[in-house]
Amino acid sequence: MAVMGPETVDVAIEDDHLGSGGTVVHHGVVRRTLSAPQAWIGVIVIALVVVWAVVGPWLAKWDATTTDVFSFGVGPSRDHWFGTNDIGQDIYAQTLVGLRKSLVIGFIAGPGATLIAGVVGAVSGYVGGVWDKVIVWFIDLMLVLPAFYILVLLSPVFKKLSWVAMVVALAILSWMVMARVVRGQTMSIKERDFVKAARFMGVPGWTIIRRHILPNVASLLIIDATLGVGATILTESTLSYFGFGVQAPDVSLGTLLATGSASAVTRPWLFVFPAAILVVTVLATSLVGDALRDAVDPTSGANRA
Amino acid sequence: MPEPLLRVDDLNVTFAGNPPVHAVRGVSYEVREKEFLGLVGESGSGKSVSSTAIMGLLPSSAKVSGSITFEGRELVGLGDRDFSRLRGQGLSMIFQDPLSALTPVYSIGDQITEVLHLHDKALSKQAARARAAELLTLVGIPNVQRNLNAFPHEFSGGMRQRAMIAIAIANNPRLIIADEPTTALDVTIQAQILELLQEAREVTGAAVLLITHDMGVVAGNADRVAVMYAGRIVEQAPVRELFAKPLMPYTIGLLRSMPSLSAPRSERLVPLEGRPPLLTQLPQGCPFAPRCPAAIPECREAEPPLFEIGGPTRRAACIRADEIDDGRLPGPTIYPRPETVEPEAAPLATATGNAIELHDVHKVYPLYSGSVMRRRVGSVRAVDGVSFEVRTGQTLGLVGESGCGKTTTIMEILELKGASEGTIKVADRDTATLGKAERRALREDIQVVFQDPMASLDPRMTVGDIIAEPLTVHDVPEAERRRRVSDVLDLVGLERSYAQRYPHEFSGGQRQRIGIARALVVEPKVVVLDEPVSALDVSVQAGVINLLEDLKARLGLSYLFVAHDLAVVRHIADQVAVMYLGRIVEYGPSEAVFSDPRHPYTVALLSAVPVPDPVVEANRHRVLLDGDLPSPADRITGCSFRTRCPLYKLVPPEKQEMCRTQDPQRRPVAGTSVACHHAEHIDLITAGEPVA
Amino acid sequence: MIGFIAKRLVNYVILAVIATGLGYLIASSTLHPISKFLGRNPPVNQDAIDAALDKMGVNPEVPVLVRLKDWAVNLVTHGSLGTSTGGRPVTEEIAARASTSLRLLLIGTLLGALIGVLIGVTGAVRQYRAFDRVSTYGSFVITATPTFVIAVVLMILATNLNKLVGHQVIQFTGEYTAGLQGGFWSHLGDRATHLLLPTIALVLTSAATYSRYQRSAMLDVLSADYIRTARSKGRTRGSAMIRHGVRVALIPMSTFFAYSFGLMLTGASVTELVFSWHGMGEYLLSSIHNNDINAATGTILFTAVLVLIAGTLADVLYAALDPRVRV
């Protein structure tokens, strides 16, 4: 679930060994991102998915809970586009409900983790000294325990407090790797002459972070937030699949897949449709995030000689 | 005329892109056997691209057309397999940055034996290793057995470049291409490497094609010179003729704009206006015309070819070259020397007459070792007892090579927090005694200009915001900030409208002017400049140096000018301090230090600086230093320079004893203050004429 | 070099200890073993409840830090991880399951890493050509798919294949068929068919992740100056890229391996669960359902030790590959 991509981990690693992070060029980022075809595909797909999640229910006549006594466990048909389950509920409607829940979780927890990562990483990288050591050590600690296991341990709490607690937990457990990356980047920006110039002008520390450091790591954060949406959706669905995430009667794509997988062999539509939607959504966020990464760092994959 | 070893004929290289970049536009030249050809140019001239093309090592997105023949064989279009047989054997190349040019995971020995094995499959491992050891000795790398197993990161820059030379000469090539081999090195190391290159040439009988931006290097080493501009050769001549009477206005301008150790000190530099054109936006006609003071309307109609002037060995791409040749249009007329500017404003008034004062300042960094438990095993004495004064209204030049501590020294000054040992005073205030508010107020008086204009300007801020930033610290209201930004843009010769643009839209010289503007917007009295022109093209440096001098005169500024380029320092500084391993070894008026240096390090430093005059270079007596800079963590008893000192080797043993046991303090000797026991005997090593 | 690794190892050990302690604390706050005894009819005697809870060391009346100390002392002096709610020692239960999990984890991760490296290097060297495009898009899709979805899809495909062939070629429920008669080879064959799908699932996900990372690291290296130097010595383009590029590009991989190990563990646990293997994944789940604090903590300890080993191995690999750290 970590939103670490190859290039971003590189920066984190380098700060352990003579780091100077890569140069990050910002101008024309939007233009360059949109010049990659995969970015367009990703953006359009995400937009479609979100729009569909909102207006989809009105396009069909069944809602998620009403049972259609004439169609128990029926495959896709004109009446039920995605088929029905054993008690006659419309899969299309259920998928939409699950999708909405998953999207909400993804769009809140993903960028939420990024926010934490940005602040912690920048402060740690800029202030240095004891605080930095403590924070890095804490990050290492959190990385020793796979977040999934912690989330499983915490699941009784989610049962009690509802899925909102899970969103918070997801955000709290996903910021670590990105924070290391931001820290590495901050440390290298700190050594750049324009920061030294600001220090020697007398600009106070917090102002330097706000004015010089954060805008220069903004691109990294945007990439991470984008990828974080997809990663969080993946984690949530895995948790929910095993009964540790979203709890009944709430529905998410994960819970749908849990019920669907039991009969996946005999009645594939119960599983395939929610799975496909899930994969498509996450894939779209990956495409956009990757295109952003290529646009921001001109030395990354797509731009080689 | 025998067939030349290498013949380049109408070479064109275009890089794919949007728009495509035509980097080399019809270049033709030859290199004869055993000849040394210097290819000179600034950034964007195409010099590196054309030489990389000869080796066939351009990226696959580059389209190459024209002809390159080596020993009669056509190289353009030659397949990779066939070309690979030639590379490393008939032709070899030395690259600019030896750290990135050597593979970090293989030992030096392995990287040398590799080139041997590639061209002689039958060679046994022992034989290859023996030959590698031989090569290391040849290039002057000591401790051969140990160093064969060493990795590139364990070597210093100079040693790495020696290893690269060893690789290049291993198979006795007929042509060695050296692409800016010394640009990344300190000046004394540069002298060693260039000397080594000449030796390598003798040992292998190879011809050398040297690519560089430094006219001094070319003057001292090349037989013939070709000057490149905007992707074409614009002048070609034997070296003495080129320097004695350049015929192309670009070359003339370049030579006149360079500060030189052999020219009179007080002369103003002659700036070359404008900057090299972008290859994607070439103007109609001669690409130099927009900058050329001698341009006439015909110049803008068509690009002039290389004309032969007075014989086949002299060529210049200028339609007025013959006028220049026969004296109708002499160089000084095209580029007249500007008038010196008289001081206008009174400098900072202090009781002591010093803008900055340092007394016995020390800065020590602890060295830790051990992995489980970190123990302090020693210290790096980055600044080891430094004292100097920057007098108000004057410039103190602080010179030294990398690792001498000059950057650490100025950082200590700029922190305004005093030193761990010793005193630092700025405008007569002891910086150790400052409270927070006082420090903030003092920052109005002292500002800094950094070396790399790209790195010192925040790419995400507009120029206006960048320049205004110091004003925000002192709570200047917005309207006034805007006014002052416009004023200071005028002052540095930039358009007021530039305030809305971003740094990446400007050239290096313009960016440096922005950096200077930022330093001046708070109307400081002292400016610390850390290598302000080192990152700029040669033709642009003169303009910025002149600007700095003008500003100093007009605003009554005091400068602390740090640089490694001695010619620039000699030109701009009133007083000079020479640093070595954290100490000042010589200190005095610029005139005295440069004309009569008394410390052996200063002598060596000066003799290593290339002078753009082949006659002077040919007659120079070079004083070379042994080996590399010692590790700053080492404690050397007595004089820390003695491990490399040429004078130490020449004095009698009882005097050497003094060098070994007593740390020399600075004392006045003939006009400068010198930290050497035997400064009176300096003539033992300056047997030749020192540079005037 | 030894010093470098030793220092990191000590760090890992400390982290593992603290992580386990934290795990205990979290488990103790979220799990309530007492619930098993509540709401019974007839109600269980309070003393009996206390006795049962004390035997496991999970009585909520005792302050949690004291319980943690007791647990730790118990571990150090007796090498015991306490008793599970089922009454058996936790160490015994883990021992029974550990080899199952490790088998899958090792094969999946190592094979996945190897294949991922190969794909990444090849894709980078032949950038933008067919192989690269296919493998890039493929890995995009795979990394966008949750592991359990891949597992279920594989199951669907296997079932259809079995139907097509008419006979159970690929079996996937559990690790082996219970009560199978036959000699050594038929048992081996049986385990192999059961191992096939989980391995494929795990290898697919890990290879996809590693290949993307390796491709990027390789591309970074390909534009480096020393590749050009190698060619200037007389190596052909391909030879220079392989001989000089791959070694250097592998260096960041070892660090990535350490960081991604947590992901691999998670993936392996999920795979185990979907295919009904009796491994540590199942153990964790059941410990939650049974409110078994000792079992949960035991699992955390097991995980922490694995991460420790993986991290140290990665460090050894790093030092072996990169002479710059062997100061």
Side-chain angles (χ1 to χ4, degrees):
Chain A
M1 97 166 97
V3 205
M4 59 186 163
E7 300 80 16
T8 49
V9 185
D10 235 336
V11 180
I13 295 163
E14 284 197 1
D15 70 72
D16 286 306
H17 309 280
L18 336 160
S20 68
T23 47
V24 187
V25 174
H26 304 273
H27 301 280
V29 168
V30 176
R31 180 176 43 87
R32 279 208 298 277
T33 312
L34 296 182
S35 70
Q38 63 228 46
W40 274 115
I41 301 177
V43 169
I44 292 177
V45 168
I46 295 180
L48 283 178
V49 166
V50 171
V51 166
W52 185 56
V54 172
V55 303
W58 296 321
L59 296 177
K61 44 192 192 115
W62 294 97
D63 70 38
T65 44
T66 320
T67 54
D68 177 359
V69 294
F70 295 110
S71 329
F72 289 137
V74 164
S77 65
R78 246 201 347 219
D79 213 25
H80 296 275
W81 295 344
F82 286 1
T84 59
N85 65 11
D86 286 348
I87 53 176
Q89 291 169 325
D90 183 43
I91 298 296
Y92 173 84
Q94 290 208 319
T95 307
L96 281 173
V97 174
L99 176 64
R100 277 212 288 270
K101 180 62 58 50
S102 294
L103 281 178
V104 165
I105 294 177
F107 276 104
I108 296 182
T114 305
L115 189 62
I116 302 176
V119 172
V120 172
V123 168
S124 176
Y126 188 76
V127 169
V130 166
W131 277 115
D132 178 44
K133 284 200 177 28
V134 166
I135 292 180
V136 167
W137 195 83
F138 181 71
I139 292 177
D140 279 344
L141 179 66
M142 303 298 298
L143 287 175
V144 169
L145 296 175
F148 184 73
Y149 283 58
I150 305 287
L151 285 165
V152 167
L153 272 183
L154 288 174
S155 56
V157 175
F158 306 152
K159 282 205 225 293
K160 266 202 324 209
L161 290 183
S162 95
W163 59 270
V164 177
M166 183 179 66
V167 170
V168 173
L170 276 171
I172 292 181
L173 291 171
S174 326
W175 55 268
M176 284 79 75
V177 177
M178 197 57 200
R180 282 206 81 145
V181 175
V182 172
R183 171 180 174 268
Q185 192 72 0
T186 303
M187 282 165 68
S188 87
I189 293 178
K190 187 173 129 179
E191 293 310 311
R192 299 267 295 273
D193 285 346
F194 62 83
V195 172
K196 280 199 208 149
R199 264 183 43 226
F200 291 140
M201 274 180 233
V203 180
W206 274 111
T207 315
I208 292 186
I209 293 184
R210 185 176 44 84
R211 188 185 285 160
H212 292 285
I213 310 254
L214 283 180
N216 277 296
V217 297
S219 354
L220 279 180
L221 294 176
I222 293 175
I223 296 169
D224 185 57
T226 312
L227 292 173
V229 172
T232 324
I233 295 181
L234 278 180
T235 312
E236 175 273 318
S237 63
T238 309
L239 279 175
S240 304
Y241 179 80
F242 292 112
F244 293 113
V246 171
Q247 301 292 322
D250 283 325
V251 167
S252 87
L253 288 175
T255 58
L256 277 180
L257 289 169
T259 35
S261 68
S263 21
V265 175
T266 48
R267 284 188 278 271
W269 59 89
L270 294 178
F271 187 83
V272 166
F273 286 110
I277 300 296
L278 179 62
V279 172
V280 162
T281 311
V282 175
L283 186 58
T285 60
S286 297
L287 287 177
V288 176
D290 215 67
L292 273 174
R293 187 155 45 203
D294 281 343
V296 162
D297 181 4
T299 64
S300 77
N303 302 306
R304 308 235 183 230
Chain B
M1 206 58 192
E3 184 66 22
L5 182 66
L6 176 78
R7 182 202 291 275
V8 176
D9 200 6
D10 197 31
L11 179 65
N12 277 279
V13 178
T14 310
F15 288 101
N18 192 11
V21 179
H22 196 175
V24 178
R25 306 178 303 119
V27 163
S28 308
Y29 60 85
E30 317 177 332
V31 181
R32 276 165 235 130
E33 266 182 53
K34 306 205 193 210
E35 188 178 33
F36 197 123
L37 176 68
L39 195 58
V40 189
E42 298 178 292
S43 48
S45 58
K47 58 192 194 300
S48 280
V49 175
S50 60
S51 42
T52 317
I54 298 174
M55 289 289 281
L57 291 176
L58 289 172
S60 36
S61 61
K63 266 188 11 209
V64 179
S65 70
S67 155
I68 303 175
T69 30
F70 178 71
E71 292 180 328
R73 196 169 167 195
E74 178 62 57
L75 297 183
V76 174
L78 190 62
D80 196 32
R81 185 138 296 193
D82 291 322
F83 218 139
S84 299
R85 276 193 268 270
L86 204 49
R87 289 188 209 119
Q89 199 193 42
L91 295 168
S92 66
M93 193 155 178
I94 300 168
F95 297 98
Q96 174 174 354
D97 183 1
L99 179 57
S100 60
L102 291 171
T103 311
V105 297
Y106 292 128
S107 70
I108 296 287
D110 284 341
Q111 296 194 50
I112 298 180
T113 54
E114 183 182 17
V115 73
L116 294 168
H117 282 300
L118 278 171
H119 295 281
D120 184 358
K121 310 275 191 234
L123 196 62
S124 75
K125 274 178 78 173
Q126 290 94 305
R129 235 180 125 78
R131 172 90 175 122
E134 210 179 283
L135 286 164
L136 282 187
T137 321
L138 197 67
V139 298
I141 293 183
N143 290 335
V144 169
Q145 284 312 316
R146 213 232 135 235
N147 281 325
L148 276 175
N149 296 327
F151 289 95
H153 67 280
E154 298 178 60
F155 276 13
S156 69
M159 275 169 69
R160 273 180 234 130
Q161 202 58 306
R162 288 173 191 267
M164 280 244 48
I165 293 177
I167 294 174
I169 63 173
N171 289 317
N172 292 317
R174 271 88 67 200
L175 174 66
I176 301 174
I177 303 178
D179 188 358
E180 305 254 28
T182 54
T183 309
L185 304 174
D186 278 324
V187 84
T188 52
I189 310 288
Q190 169 172 285
Q192 291 174 351
I193 298 294
L194 289 172
E195 181 102 358
L196 179 61
L197 196 56
Q198 294 285 8
E199 270 174 38
R201 184 183 165 204
E202 244 143 89
V203 162
T204 57
V208 174
L209 173 61
L210 176 73
I211 294 112
T212 177
H213 65 278
D214 190 337
M215 292 295 256
V217 166
V218 156
N221 288 284
D223 299 323
R224 278 195 308 132
V225 182
V227 179
M228 282 188 76
Y229 188 81
R232 278 173 64 237
I233 296 191
V234 295
E235 185 156 7
Q236 244 189 60
V239 67
R240 294 201 176 200
E241 290 173 44
L242 185 90
F243 282 87
K245 192 154 66 155
L247 295 178
M248 206 283 179
Y250 171 62
T251 322
I252 301 175
L254 205 57
L255 287 171
R256 279 175 81 74
S257 78
M258 291 176 62
S260 155
L261 285 182
S262 59
R265 237 196 98 227
S266 55
E267 281 182 346
R268 291 266 287 172
L269 296 175
V270 184
L272 194 54
E273 301 299 338
R275 53 173 164 125
L278 287 176
L279 288 169
T280 46
Q281 289 169 13
L282 283 176
Q284 168 106 354
C286 172
F288 187 62
R291 299 170 82 184
C292 183
I296 49 179
E298 286 84 355
C299 293
R300 287 174 236 275
E301 282 166 29
E303 199 164 359
L306 267 181
F307 296 111
E308 269 184 28
I309 314 280
T313 55
R314 288 282 266 140
R315 301 209 179 106
C318 178
I319 54 184
R320 302 188 73 182
D322 48 341
E323 288 177 64
I324 300 172
D325 187 33
D326 59 31
R328 280 176 283 159
L329 185 61
T333 314
I334 309 178
Y335 293 100
R337 210 171 280 286
E339 295 298 312
T340 37
V341 175
E342 289 307 312
E344 278 175 43
L348 167 72
T350 63
T352 54
N354 288 336
I356 301 179
E357 235 179 272
L358 263 71
H359 283 298
D360 201 29
V361 171
H362 290 260
K363 174 85 180 168
V364 175
Y365 290 108
L367 255 191
Y368 292 110
S369 160
S371 334
V372 184
M373 292 288 147
R374 271 157 59 100
R375 311 183 308 278
R376 181 158 169 177
V377 291
S379 341
V380 174
R381 311 187 88 87
V383 182
D384 197 15
V386 164
S387 311
F388 59 71
E389 293 98 39
V390 179
R391 304 195 66 74
T392 56
Q394 296 204 339
T395 303
L396 172 70
L398 196 56
V399 296
E401 301 178 293
S402 43
C404 71
K406 55 192 196 295
T407 308
T408 315
T409 308
I410 58 174
M411 293 299 157
E412 285 294 291
I413 298 173
L414 287 167
E415 292 276 358
L416 291 187
K417 290 204 179 113
S420 49
E421 232 185 285
T423 345
I424 302 178
K425 287 196 186 164
V426 174
D428 278 353
R429 307 287 315 276
D430 185 343
T431 57
T433 63
L434 293 175
K436 207 159 139 189
E438 292 170 307
R439 189 174 301 130
R440 209 170 73 131
L442 192 57
R443 291 213 181 274
E444 247 185 337
D445 288 334
I446 178 167
Q447 290 286 313
V448 59
V449 176
F450 284 104
Q451 170 176 359
D452 183 354
M454 198 59 239
S456 62
L457 306 178
D458 187 336
R460 313 216 91 211
M461 287 169 71
T462 60
V463 165
D465 285 338
I466 291 174
I467 297 179
E469 192 170 13
L471 296 172
T472 64
V473 176
H474 302 283
D475 300 321
V476 174
E478 171 151 9
E480 164 134 4
R481 289 208 299 264
R482 269 203 292 261
R483 183 182 60 78
R484 284 167 77 159
V485 166
S486 298
D487 287 344
V488 85
L489 279 169
D490 284 340
L491 198 62
V492 298
L494 293 173
E495 305 272 336
R496 291 184 171 216
S497 62
Y498 288 175
Q500 271 81 264
R501 312 230 303 243
Y502 286 90
H504 72 281
E505 302 179 53
F506 296 100
S507 71
Q510 288 171 319
R511 281 187 227 129
Q512 198 61 306
R513 285 170 193 259
I514 295 170
I516 294 171
R518 173 176 61 186
L520 295 178
V521 78
V522 284
E523 293 170 10
K525 282 303 181 181
V526 184
V527 183
V528 176
L529 302 117
D530 188 5
E531 310 256 19
V533 294
S534 313
L536 302 175
D537 274 325
V538 175
S539 64
V540 175
Q541 285 186 12
V544 175
I545 294 173
N546 281 355
L547 173 68
L548 288 171
E549 291 184 314
D550 288 344
L551 290 171
K552 179 177 125 188
R554 278 163 69 180
L555 303 174
L557 298 170
S558 317
Y559 285 161
L560 174 56
F561 194 102
V562 174
H564 66 274
D565 185 341
L566 288 158
V568 169
V569 171
R570 173 171 174 267
H571 181 83
I572 196 174
D574 301 300
Q575 311 270 329
V576 173
V578 180
M579 280 187 80
Y580 182 79
L581 275 190
R583 301 214 173 162
I584 296 195
V585 296
E586 188 153 5
Y587 179 51
S590 188
E591 194 68 51
V593 171
F594 281 96
S595 60
D596 187 20
R598 287 281 162 167
H599 193 282
Y601 179 62
T602 319
V603 171
L605 206 54
L606 286 173
S607 85
V609 176
V611 170
D613 184 337
V615 177
V616 169
E617 282 282 310
N619 293 328
R620 271 177 105 179
H621 171 70
R622 276 235 145 73
V623 176
L624 285 181
L625 294 179
D626 271 343
D628 281 309
L629 204 63
S631 160
D634 289 345
R635 266 335 252 138
I636 303 177
T637 55
C639 173
S640 52
F641 184 57
R642 65 177 166 85
T643 55
R644 303 171 79 199
C645 182
L647 190 58
Y648 178 80
K649 292 201 289 234
L650 296 177
V651 295
E654 62 277 11
K655 298 223 166 142
Q656 286 185 343
E657 182 67 29
M658 213 155 91
C659 297
R660 271 200 299 275
T661 52
Q662 289 177 35
D663 199 4
Q665 298 302 314
R666 261 182 21 214
R667 57 197 177 93
V669 175
T672 63
S673 162
V674 188
C676 177
H677 297 303
H678 311 296
E680 289 80 2
H681 303 289
I682 197 70
D683 43 291
L684 283 176
I685 55 175
T686 57
E689 272 299 304
V691 185
Chain C
M1 173 166 140
I2 304 285
F4 166 74
I5 296 175
K7 171 176 144 189
R8 307 262 299 184
L9 182 59
V10 166
N11 195 36
Y12 277 125
V13 168
I14 299 177
L15 285 175
V17 165
I18 299 187
T20 313
L22 263 181
Y24 187 90
L25 292 174
I26 296 179
S28 297
S29 21
T30 59
L31 299 177
H32 305 289
I34 201 170
S35 54
K36 191 168 85 165
F37 300 105
L38 300 175
R40 292 256 206 112
N41 204 355
V44 184
N45 175 326
Q46 184 61 39
D47 285 336
I49 297 180
D50 279 336
L53 291 180
D54 281 334
K55 191 159 139 252
M56 292 191 290
V58 295
N59 194 332
E61 300 295 314
V62 179
V64 71
L65 289 174
V66 173
R67 280 186 274 149
L68 176 57
K69 178 186 66 78
D70 290 337
W71 183 89
V73 167
N74 194 14
L75 175 61
V76 172
T77 49
H78 297 122
S80 155
L81 289 165
T83 329
S84 77
T85 46
R88 292 181 36 222
V90 171
T91 25
E92 217 179 87
E93 295 186 331
I94 290 185
R97 296 165 178 279
S99 55
T100 310
S101 290
L102 283 175
R103 242 198 298 276
L104 186 58
L105 182 67
L106 278 175
I107 299 179
T109 326
L110 291 177
L111 202 56
L114 188 63
I115 296 180
V117 165
L118 285 174
I119 295 181
V121 166
T122 317
V125 167
R126 293 170 196 282
Q127 196 187 7
Y128 296 140
R129 307 239 275 270
F131 180 87
D132 185 38
R133 286 201 187 279
V134 167
S135 55
T136 305
Y137 291 135
S139 26
F140 263 119
V141 172
I142 294 179
T143 49
T145 316
T147 317
F148 67 86
V149 169
I150 294 184
V152 171
V153 166
L154 282 174
M155 290 205 283
I156 298 180
L157 289 177
T159 313
N160 287 331
L161 174 67
N162 287 342
K163 268 210 280 245
L164 206 64
V165 174
H167 136 85
Q168 293 276 351
V169 174
I170 303 179
Q171 301 179 319
F172 44 79
T173 314
E175 217 185 334
Y176 51 84
T177 314
L180 181 70
Q181 304 297 327
F184 173 75
W185 288 110
S186 67
H187 271 287
L188 193 64
D190 177 57
R191 278 184 182 256
T193 54
H194 278 98
L195 190 55
L196 190 64
L197 285 195
T199 309
I200 293 180
L202 202 50
V203 166
L204 269 179
T205 38
S206 50
T209 318
Y210 281 122
S211 76
R212 275 177 69 188
Y213 190 76
Q214 180 69 75
R215 178 182 180 272
S216 172
M218 191 70 189
L219 284 175
D220 274 335
V221 159
L222 287 182
S223 55
D225 284 346
Y226 45 84
I227 304 284
R228 189 182 52 171
T229 307
R231 289 186 68 200
S232 79
K233 289 183 198 171
R235 281 204 182 275
T236 54
R237 185 181 243 126
S239 163
M241 289 199 280
I242 303 292
R243 295 296 296 254
H244 287 256
V246 176
R247 263 295 290 267
V248 181
L250 283 178
I251 294 174
M253 280 306 287
S254 50
T255 319
F256 182 68
F257 180 74
Y259 275 114
S260 66
F261 189 71
L263 268 184
M264 296 300 138
L265 260 187
T266 309
S269 300
V270 169
T271 311
E272 262 181 44
L273 285 168
V274 175
F275 286 107
S276 313
W277 280 35
H278 300 301
M280 292 303 295
E282 189 187 58
Y283 196 53
L284 178 68
L285 255 64
S286 64
S287 71
I288 304 295
H289 288 136
N290 297 332
N291 280 295
D292 192 341
I293 296 180
N294 288 332
T297 314
T299 317
I300 299 292
L301 178 63
F302 180 74
T303 313
V305 168
L306 280 183
V307 171
L308 189 161
I309 296 178
T312 310
L313 278 178
D315 286 338
V316 170
L317 191 60
Y318 194 105
L321 286 174
D322 191 351
R324 290 172 286 193
V325 295
R326 297 187 222 144
V327 174

